[in-house]
Amino acid sequence: MQDETRITTVRARQVLDSRGKPTVEVEVTCGEAHGRAIAPSGASTGRFEACELRDGDNQRYAGQGVLQAVANVNNVLAPAVIGLDARDQRSLDQRLIETDGTDDKSRLGANAILGVSLAAAHAAAAAQRMPLVRHLNRLWGQLVDSESAAGADDMCQMSMPLPMVNMISGGLHAGGQLDFQDYLIIPVGAASYSEALEWIVDVYRKLGSLLRDAGHEGYLVGDEGGYGPKLPDNESALSFVVQAIECAGREAGDDIAIGLDVASTHFFRDGAYYLKSESGANLSAAELTQRFVEWANRYPIVSIEDGLAEDDWDGWKTLTEALGDRLQLLGDDLFTTNVTRIEEGIRRGVANSVLIKLNQVGSLWETLQAIYLSRQAGYRPVVSARSGETEDATIADLAVATAAGQIKIGSIARSERLAKYNQLLRLEDQLGNEAPFAGGDIVRPAQRPT
């Protein structure tokens, strides 16, 4: 088997993501087996993310080309990994990281490194004649076993994730119509993944009708497929989402709850939070936290992502003390899928959940380590797509294989999003009882180990 899983060729090319921006696609072969993966890209990015390499040549794609990253795969990374066993993801990713030689993957590009890392996993699965989800579950089991975790067998059980789905977009995902980036629904009362998806589609359609009837004929669709209407303020979006839930015949709270992706770093300046859609309101961390408390008392909110900025540790502490025992407080820019940042958050006692994005850290094995650390600390991992996505559906398999419990893909209106939702439908059908549905309890704050 080892000869069949040794990497024989690596080839990269420039392709386009869901925003029409270039990104890196990599193909890896192991003998007759073939694997392919595409690196995603974010719009609202944290300062501590691994470096995405762009050409900066305004003659091509307004400087957004990735031909240098492609060349780095073909000329530098390929020679470094040819001959390695693609099943040994830990060693493979370590070789990629060492070849780059920087802390943030800025020499060769995290987009180049991630493309090779994921394509190798696909090739390894194909060479072993197994679905990707089973290969990823084996890798997850190897990591768990290597850490000698208590209850390791339970951690290695696959599960279908609870989806967290974009309904209304603002911030950098929809032209700044609203300050807050995403208003999401979470079908906490659904009995299965497929039922959850059906409820989501119903609410999305009802929301479109409500916005149209309210005179928002010209609403745009954001990067992730959510509606982007010009609403008067940030709270009005919550009212529309609650109405849509009820119009779809569901109970707001018991059947379908609400999540917020505030993405507050992009409106944080000089220690204050500036809300453009509210006449430039200037709020302190304590004042913004109080707003979240008031909203949580009036609306069925169960999750708030990046409620405060990536460097506002004191503010995060205030938010966690106020709502950490009631809501899921999800760190994205705060943690950037980075073990060091997650460890810092655990030490400080802030947040209680971690958004997991492959390209924030830049390799598959490092992503698995971030998921493991989160779960061991009692923080909920949420596997997530990016605003610049592709038809690559790897994150669907990753969420199931690691039993992350939750997934955040975007809305249900664009094919780069539906590629992941549809893959989850396939996995639900194929795995059956091997991957039970996580259900609504997964979004509740966990009891952390003492």
Side-chain angles (χ1 to χ4, degrees), residues 24-98:
V24 178
E25 178 179 82
V26 179
E27 294 183 356
V28 169
T29 57
C30 299
E32 298 298 316
H34 172 86
R36 182 173 64 208
I38 311 177
S41 176
S44 175
T45 56
R47 185 162 61 89
F48 302 98
E49 293 192 23
C51 179
E52 179 183 75
L53 191 63
R54 298 280 177 180
D55 294 339
D57 177 3
N58 288 326
Q59 300 303 310
R60 297 177 58 85
Y61 291 106
Q64 295 298 302
V66 293
L67 293 182
Q68 184 57 59
V70 166
N72 289 341
V73 173
N74 293 333
N75 301 327
V76 182
L77 295 175
V81 300
I82 286 174
L84 296 184
D85 188 339
R87 294 175 302 176
D88 188 354
Q89 192 75 43
R90 184 201 300 260
S91 297
L92 173 73
D93 286 350
Q94 187 60 39
R95 177 70 62 86
L96 294 170
I97 293 165
E98 290 173 351

Side-chain angles (χ1 to χ4, degrees), residues 199 202-203 206 242-252 255-256:
W199 290 8
D202 287 345
V203 174
K206 292 296 184 184
V242 169
Q243 289 179 62
I245 292 169
E246 293 171 346
C247 287
R250 303 297 168 191
E251 187 73 27
D255 291 334
I256 300 177

Side-chain angles (χ1 to χ4, degrees), residues 106-181:
S106 55
R107 188 172 80 88
L108 301 177
N111 43 352
I113 292 168
L114 181 63
V116 178
S117 179
L118 294 183
H122 280 266
Q128 296 172 93
R129 299 171 182 82
M130 68 171 56
L132 177 65
V133 68
R134 294 197 182 279
H135 174 61
L136 293 178
N137 184 245
R138 285 189 179 184
L139 294 178
W140 172 244
Q142 290 170 11
L143 188 150
V144 171
D145 289 344
S146 71
E147 298 292 341
S148 301
D153 290 343
D154 182 60
M155 283 191 76
C156 294
Q157 166 75 54
M158 291 187 286
S159 73
M160 295 302 301
L162 177 70
M164 178 185 297
V165 182
N166 191 333
M167 291 287 115
I168 292 178
S169 293
L172 297 180
H173 285 178
Q177 305 295 342
L178 298 167
D179 297 296
F180 297 169
Q181 188 158 274

